Amino acid sequence: MGLEVVHFLNVGSGDCSIIEHTSGRVTMIDICGGNLEPEDELVELYRARKPKGNFRMCQYPTNPIIYLAEVGIKSLFRFILTHPDMDHMDGLARLLDAMSVLNFWDSGVRKEKPDFGRGSPYSEEDWDAYERIISGRSGTKVVTPRAGDRGKYWNSDDAYGPGDRLQIVAPDDHLVQTANDTGETNDASYVIVYESSAGPIIFAGDSHDKTWEYILNEHRDLVCNAAVLFAPHHGRKSGRDYSFLDVVNPRVSFFGCAPYSDLAYSAWWYRGLLYFTNNQCGNVRIYPTSSGNVEVFIENQQYADAYAIHNGYTTYEY
């Protein structure tokens, strides 16, 4: 049995999470920053930084492909694309060149090809790689599970027990059809619940109000009192309803990178919920424990020390 680890990467204005399952299989959910070059000036700035006050970790994003190599991950059992926005597949082509990806999860949401003209921060190669995959021309197996589905290796029994304990709580067929009809692709973003030994860990993608209305009606028991929530839409306000937090009630939440004024801090403050940001922490590793706790390790030692002093902690368990 392998070690159970969840990685939440500091990838700028996008998403990328990795799960190392006890089966030894590895899941990656979305990718961003995969086109950052290791020789970029950002790397030199990262080595020399001495942040004060604003911890500014969002200025020093991680390339997930380099990160995977550094932690010794050489292949992915599955890549889950929550929805086809470029900030969730930035670096997909390079990822496929760098390692084998056995399975690609496709929710069925479709968008028109973006404009990659002058000024676009994204690479057309990544969109082309995505289209090759979903058309069956890449050699990677395409899997299309929907909410409530069961399957070997993700949530049905295999040689290691109940698969990798991944539950799909959105989208269902209706959400996908509606999103494709209206163009509101966030309404059919994948929402994945990893049933860790410490409780539910929720990867919310860019899920919006219709998604959460469906989840609370159909899969409430799988998301209530979560151990960890990776906030939907990177934690941005998004003009949305946050009452789903009353049910999810996460012990700890994580926000991605966005301007301070764009993040939905007040929804968490109002409810007394604990949260951290990539801007504070940099990369995050989460170790669910058999005692039901969540051990959190962060990249930014300065923030860790400041947080511990302020709160009187020497270890971080939630």
Side-chain angles (χ1 to χ4, degrees), residues 97-274:
D97 287 342
M99 64 181 61
S100 66
V101 179
L102 296 181
N103 300 282
F104 181 95
W105 282 26
D106 170 27
S107 70
V109 178
R110 296 291 180 260
K111 296 183 69 170
E112 293 294 324
K113 184 174 184 176
D115 180 5
F116 291 99
R118 186 175 180 180
S120 173
Y122 301 112
S123 169
E124 189 171 4
E125 291 181 354
D126 293 324
W127 183 268
D128 292 343
Y130 160 70
E131 289 197 326
R132 283 196 302 274
I133 293 169
I134 62 173
S135 67
R137 293 182 285 119
S138 71
T140 296
K141 181 179 179 181
V142 178
V143 186
T144 58
R146 301 281 174 87
D149 284 355
R150 299 193 63 79
K152 186 177 180 181
Y153 302 120
W154 77 77
N155 62 14
S156 291
D157 287 349
D158 60 29
Y160 296 95
D164 287 331
R165 294 177 287 162
L166 297 173
Q167 300 291 349
I168 307 157
V169 295
D172 70 344
D173 292 340
H174 177 71
L175 285 170
V176 172
Q177 184 63 56
T178 301
N180 286 335
D181 289 344
T182 64
E184 297 293 335
T185 55
N186 288 348
D187 285 331
S189 173
Y190 265 132
V191 179
I192 306 295
V193 178
Y194 171 47
E195 296 182 316
S196 81
S197 53
I201 297 179
I202 302 175
F203 301 87
D206 278 2
S207 52
H208 207 67
D209 292 347
K210 288 182 180 178
T211 323
W212 281 96
E213 180 182 357
Y214 166 78
I215 291 170
L216 296 185
N217 283 336
E218 301 296 330
H219 303 288
R220 189 186 190 96
D221 58 326
L222 291 175
V223 299
C224 66
N225 297 319
V228 178
L229 171 66
F230 296 108
H233 209 203
H234 326 285
R236 290 184 176 91
K237 292 176 183 175
S238 309
R240 63 169 308 142
D241 177 10
Y242 277 97
S243 60
F244 72 90
L245 289 172
D246 296 328
V247 175
V248 176
N249 190 32
R251 277 182 269 161
V252 59
S253 299
F254 292 94
F255 293 4
C257 288
Y260 180 89
S261 59
D262 291 346
L263 292 173
Y265 293 122
S266 60
W268 273 256
W269 290 340
Y270 174 76
R271 295 170 173 83
L273 296 172
L274 181 67

Side-chain angles (χ1 to χ4, degrees), residues 270-281:
Y270 174 76
R271 295 170 173 83
L273 296 172
L274 181 67
Y275 65 84
F276 297 100
T277 71
N278 280 138
N279 195 47
Q280 296 165 328
C281 300

